[in-house]
Amino acid sequence: MSAPVGIDELLERVRAGYTRLDPREAYAASRAGALLVDIRYQALRDRDGLIPGALVVERNELEWRLDPQGSHRAPQATGHGLQVVVICNEGYASSLAAASLHALGLHRATDLAGGFQAWKSAGLPVAAP
């Protein structure tokens, strides 16, 4: 049995498995066809707004909605080669979510460093709630 790890070490380990994107890189990726996926909960979306064009999927549904082979997949989940950029509020939960998508074979999944708050601070498009 392996020794337990703390959340900081776990984040470091999962983030070592892919390249995270900063807000400008995520915006450019979305313009080039990447799927932005907002996993923030409703109260945060109501408070802060939405990224235009982002697919909203609650975190507890993410794997079911993005598995290209799943019976509950979103229409946007077109294949394992799809680039997915997961966005949470500050860029922590999205890292664990991206790792989970990697486990499903979505090898181009990544997340937005700094989350929605970094996107908003960078002056990128945000729609009113």
Side-chain angles (χ1 to χ4, degrees):
M1 181 175 223
S2 59
V5 299
I7 189 61
D8 293 329
E9 184 177 339
L10 179 60
L11 281 171
E12 188 176 312
R13 286 182 187 182
V14 299
R15 289 173 176 168
Y18 62 90
T19 302
R20 302 179 81 207
L21 302 181
D22 69 28
R24 298 264 175 224
E25 292 168 328
Y27 180 72
S30 72
R31 306 274 297 173
L35 178 62
L36 301 181
V37 180
D38 186 343
I39 63 168
R40 294 175 300 142
Y41 53 88
Q42 185 68 46
L44 291 175
R45 296 191 310 267
D46 289 346
R47 183 188 77 189
D48 295 335
L50 300 166
I51 295 173
L55 175 65
V56 173
V57 177
E58 296 278 342
R59 174 61 189 101
N60 64 328
E61 297 178 2
L62 183 69
E63 292 81 2
W64 284 267
R65 305 291 288 149
L66 291 186
D67 179 2
Q69 298 175 337
S71 60
H72 293 83
R73 72 176 178 81
Q76 297 89 334
T78 56
H80 288 95
L82 178 67
Q83 183 178 18
V84 175
V85 181
V86 183
I87 302 165
C88 67
N89 195 48
E90 295 181 344
Y92 295 100
S94 58
S95 295
L96 298 175
S100 181
L101 294 178
H102 275 254
L104 286 176
L106 291 153
H107 61 276
R108 296 181 66 205
T110 186
D111 76 316
L112 174 59
F116 178 86
Q117 296 306 320
W119 177 280
K120 189 174 180 180
S121 293
L124 294 169
V126 174

